Amino acid sequence: MLSGISIWQLLIVLAIVIMIFGTKKLRSLGGDLGGAVKGFKKAMNEEPAEKKDEEAKNLTHEKADELEKDADFAETKTAQKSAEQSADKKDQ
């Protein structure tokens, strides 16, 4: 039933399309399509760079949060030691 399309059939379809739309319209359509493909490729290449920047910012914020927690923990430990030393001095 359906067999492969031969080169002659493709040429006939191409000739009909050129007669209907004209070469100027097809040229502008091809240019628009090419520009869209270039834009798509550029966006695909830029996306990982943006993600890396965002991940770096998130890591920076996470490290800052960890340092804050560490500082709070150290302050708490220092306060506890001071309280223990004061209690030991009172007991003596």
Side-chain angles (χ1 to χ4, degrees):
M1 280 200 173
L2 291 175
S3 61
I5 298 175
S6 70
I7 189 73
W8 293 109
Q9 292 170 336
L10 288 175
L11 288 174
I12 292 170
V13 170
L14 181 65
I16 293 171
V17 168
I18 288 173
M19 284 191 289
I20 292 173
F21 293 108
T23 56
K24 288 183 182 180
K25 186 115 178 171
L26 289 176
R27 191 177 306 136
S28 66
L29 181 66
D32 292 343
L33 184 62
V37 170
K38 283 182 185 179
F40 179 75
K41 285 182 181 180
K42 184 178 179 183
M44 291 299 291
N45 289 334
E46 288 178 359
E47 184 178 344
E50 291 173 1
K51 283 186 177 180
K52 287 180 185 177
D53 291 342
E54 187 175 313
E55 288 175 3
K57 287 179 185 177
N58 289 339
L59 289 176
T60 303
H61 291 298
E62 288 174 8
K63 286 185 180 184
D65 291 342
E66 287 178 18
L67 290 175
E68 255 182 59
K69 288 177 184 176
D70 289 345
D72 291 341
F73 181 74
E75 287 176 11
T76 305
K77 282 293 191 182
T78 305
Q80 286 176 349
K81 285 183 183 179
S82 297
E84 288 174 2
Q85 289 175 353
S86 296
D88 288 341
K89 287 182 182 177
K90 287 182 184 178
D91 289 339
Q92 292 176 356

